[in-house]
């Protein structure tokens, strides 16, 4: 006799919190969800519902609107303001049918809105859709984390070892060959050591600045008053020239920078913005391809715009720019940890500056930052 192996059906392990002040409806919904294999918890008012949400950390919340102590709107607003509960899918169950009520719930971040009375299929379908959306979102986050982890694993050892090996290698040769070296050889080897040290120094400094800015943004800290002392056009000209010289491509730099202005951003942050944008333009373009730096006053703003003719990025890659993210590194050799434009975005966000990155793989990139003038 031939036997057939039936596929194993995994039971649902999702927890659903039902916040409803009607005991009868709450128990009916919980019983139905239990029969479907869900784990459930209940609360008979908004205040208890918030407490339960923080305690149980459910995968989804069903919530009435008109309840004692806290309304459903207040429950949603409270949970969305808490990082631990902010992303939990939230479905309103209500007798209210006015468009304005639905609109208010959506503005606060509700994921769906079911009007009483509803049938079981409507509720289960809505739950299924929202849980599926959350699974897809979590999967996307995990892919993102995996991509960043792989990027760090690929780039970090290389970025630290390469300059360190240069420093150690040439310094060891200087020690062992000191008696036989000519002055020009000593100078040449010392130059290699200095360049490697500067590369490592910049890597460490960028990482420390990234952590500092991230901390300020996460804590919504107020910045100290800006202490810019130099006209921004001078900073742009000097920083852009220095970067072009570092890349040994001064002839590829085209500058159209005018208009003297003191901007409401500290000098070190202005320097970092210019350095990273211009460096990125040279890094992703070839010798002979122009890097154009423009600076001009427009109303009460000073606009910095840097364009290159390099390989550019797709719109998806531009959206995903972040620390430790490098695109197509397996195809193109490039230095760094992907901190450059991520730092620019952080500084811009911290100072409420307009910033924009545009371009494609055919025409290169254009990065624009607008500073408020004093």
């Amino acid at each position: 006799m031939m036997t057939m192996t039936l596929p194993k059906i995994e039971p649902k392990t999702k927890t659903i919190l039902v916040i409803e002040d009607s005991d009868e409806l709450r128990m009916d919904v919980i019983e139905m969800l239990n029969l479907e294999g869900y784990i459930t918890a209940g609360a008979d008012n908004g205040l208890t519902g918030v407490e339960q949400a923080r305690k149980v950390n459910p995968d989804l919340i069903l919530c009435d609107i008109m309840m004692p102590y806290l309304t459903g709107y207040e429950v949603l607003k409270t949970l969305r303001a808490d990082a631990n509960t902010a992303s939990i899918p939230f479905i309103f169950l209500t007798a209210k049918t006015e468009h304005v009520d639905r609109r208010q719930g959506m503005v606060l971040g509700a994921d769906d809105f079911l009007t009483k009375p509803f049938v079981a299929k409507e509720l289960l379908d809505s739950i299924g859709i929202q849980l599926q959306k959350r699974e897809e979102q979590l999967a996307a986050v995990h892919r993102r984390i995996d991509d960043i982890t792989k990027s760090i694993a690929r780039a970090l050892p290389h970025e630290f070892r390469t300059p360190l090996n240069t420093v150690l290698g040439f310094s060891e040769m200087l020690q062992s060959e000191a008696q036989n070296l000519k002055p020009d050889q000593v100078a040449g080897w010392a130059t290699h050591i200095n360049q490697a040290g500067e590369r490592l120094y910049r890597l460490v400094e960028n990482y420390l600045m990234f952590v500092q800015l991230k901390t300020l943004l996460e804590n919504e800290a107020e910045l100290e008053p800006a202490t810019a002392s130099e006209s921004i056009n001078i900073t742009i000209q000097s920083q852009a020239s220095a970067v072009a010289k570092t890349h040994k491509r001064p002839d590829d730099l085209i500058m159209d920078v005018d208009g003297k202005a003191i901007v409401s951003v500290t000098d070190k942050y202005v320097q970092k913005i210019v350095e990273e944008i211009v460096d990125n333009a040279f890094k992703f373009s070839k010798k002979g391809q122009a890097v154009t730096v423009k600076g001009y006053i427009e109303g009460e703003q000073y606009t910095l715009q840097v364009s290159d003719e390099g390989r550019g990025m797709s719109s998806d890659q531009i959206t995903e720019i972040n620390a430790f993210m490098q695109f197509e590194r397996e195809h193109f050799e490039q230095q760094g940890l992907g901190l450059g434009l991520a730092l620019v975005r952080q500084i811009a966000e911290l100072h409420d500056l307009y910033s924009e990155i545009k371009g494609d793989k055919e025409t290169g990139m254009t990065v624009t930052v607008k500073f408020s003038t004093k």
Side-chain angles (χ1 to χ4, degrees):
M1 179 183 296
M2 188 173 74
T3 60
M4 179 180 295
T5 302
L6 296 174
K8 183 179 180 182
I9 304 298
E10 294 292 338
K12 292 184 176 72
T13 58
K14 303 297 183 183
T15 299
I16 298 178
L17 171 62
V18 182
I19 308 174
E20 168 62 62
D21 63 337
S22 168
D23 293 338
E24 182 179 358
L25 179 57
R26 185 177 67 257
M27 296 310 298
D28 284 345
V29 171
I30 286 176
E31 182 179 2
M32 178 186 65
L33 294 176
N34 288 338
L35 290 173
E36 291 293 321
Y38 290 106
I39 300 169
T40 56
D44 60 4
N45 63 69
L47 186 61
T48 304
V50 170
E51 294 172 353
Q52 282 286 80
R54 289 171 171 166
K55 178 181 178 181
V56 175
N57 192 26
D59 296 286
L60 183 141
I61 295 173
L62 302 174
C63 186
D64 188 18
I65 289 183
M66 302 309 295
M67 297 183 296
Y69 306 113
L70 290 178
T71 67
Y73 297 136
E74 292 170 324
V75 170
L76 178 56
K77 188 175 181 180
T78 301
L79 295 179
R80 287 292 186 254
D82 186 334
N84 294 318
T85 57
S87 63
I88 299 175
F90 197 102
I91 299 174
F92 274 126
L93 308 177
T94 178
K96 284 181 170 285
T97 57
E98 292 294 328
H99 175 74
V100 65
D101 299 315
R102 181 183 294 268
R103 178 67 177 170
Q104 183 177 352
M106 294 303 179
V107 167
L108 290 172
D111 296 281
D112 203 355
F113 201 109
L114 293 180
T115 304
K116 305 172 188 174
F118 49 82
V119 298
K121 186 177 185 306
E122 284 182 298
L123 179 59
L124 294 174
D125 284 348
S126 179
I127 290 172
I129 290 170
Q130 299 309 323
L131 289 177
Q132 181 62 34
K133 282 184 180 178
R134 194 186 195 206
E135 287 297 313
E136 292 171 356
Q137 290 169 351
L138 290 174
V141 169
H142 291 150
R143 285 195 299 271
R144 176 77 171 174
I145 293 172
D146 187 52
D147 288 343
I148 293 175
T149 302
K150 288 178 180 177
S151 182
I152 294 173
R154 284 194 303 264
L156 196 60
H158 174 77
E159 290 304 315
F160 277 110
R161 286 174 181 165
T162 299
L164 281 174
N165 285 340
T166 299
V167 171
L168 293 173
F170 279 101
S171 62
E172 286 174 2
M173 288 195 297
L174 281 171
Q175 286 179 319
S176 61
E177 302 291 333
Q179 302 300 321
N180 305 316
L181 293 176
K182 296 178 180 180
D184 61 333
Q185 289 177 303
V186 174
W189 291 3
T191 297
H192 288 302
I193 292 173
N194 180 260
Q195 290 174 343
E198 286 183 348
R199 177 177 170 181
L200 191 57
Y201 176 80
R202 183 182 174 198
L203 177 69
V204 173
E205 286 294 297
N206 276 4
Y207 176 75
L208 292 176
M209 181 177 283
F210 173 79
V211 173
Q212 179 191 43
L213 292 172
K214 187 175 178 63
T215 301
L216 289 172
L217 286 167
E218 288 179 348
N219 292 302
E220 299 181 352
E222 291 189 9
L223 288 171
E224 296 181 4
T227 56
S229 58
E230 189 173 64
S231 179
I232 188 171
N233 67 310
I234 297 174
T235 301
I236 293 172
Q237 290 169 340
S238 60
Q239 287 294 113
S241 296
V243 173
K245 184 178 179 181
T246 299
H247 285 271
K248 299 179 181 179
R249 292 172 55 190
D251 293 340
D252 292 336
L253 179 63
I254 300 173
M255 279 202 285
D256 180 13
V257 179
D258 57 21
K260 293 184 178 181
I262 301 295
V263 298
S264 57
V265 178
T266 302
D267 288 341
K268 72 171 184 177
Y269 289 133
V270 176
Q271 292 168 7
K272 177 55 63 176
I273 287 174
V274 177
E275 177 187 15
E276 295 304 332
I277 295 176
V278 177
D279 180 71
N280 189 78
F282 277 107
K283 188 184 295 182
F284 292 97
S285 60
K286 298 178 181 178
K287 187 175 179 63
Q289 292 180 323
V291 172
T292 303
V293 178
K294 294 182 179 181
Y296 53 90
I297 295 175
E298 192 175 37
E300 297 183 351
Q301 292 183 318
Y302 193 96
T303 298
L304 165 66
Q305 190 173 79
V306 180
S307 303
D308 66 71
E309 300 173 351
R311 58 184 169 89
M313 295 182 184
S314 68
S315 57
D316 288 341
Q317 288 173 336
I318 291 173
T319 302
E320 292 176 5
I321 287 173
N322 208 333
F324 309 113
M325 285 302 293
Q326 290 189 321
F327 305 103
E328 301 175 340
R329 183 165 181 139
E330 63 274 17
H331 301 302
F332 302 95
E333 174 57 28
Q334 59 203 51
Q335 294 183 9
L337 293 174
L339 286 171
L341 293 183
L343 279 172
V344 172
R345 279 186 167 174
Q346 281 187 321
I347 295 170
E349 183 179 351
L350 199 60
H351 293 83
D352 293 323
L353 306 180
Y354 170 86
S355 65
E356 181 182 56
I357 302 173
K358 295 176 66 176
D360 55 49
K361 288 182 173 292
E362 303 298 327
T363 60
M365 300 281 294
T366 298
V367 182
T368 303
V369 178
K370 296 186 178 184
F371 301 82
S372 297
T373 56
K374 291 187 174 181

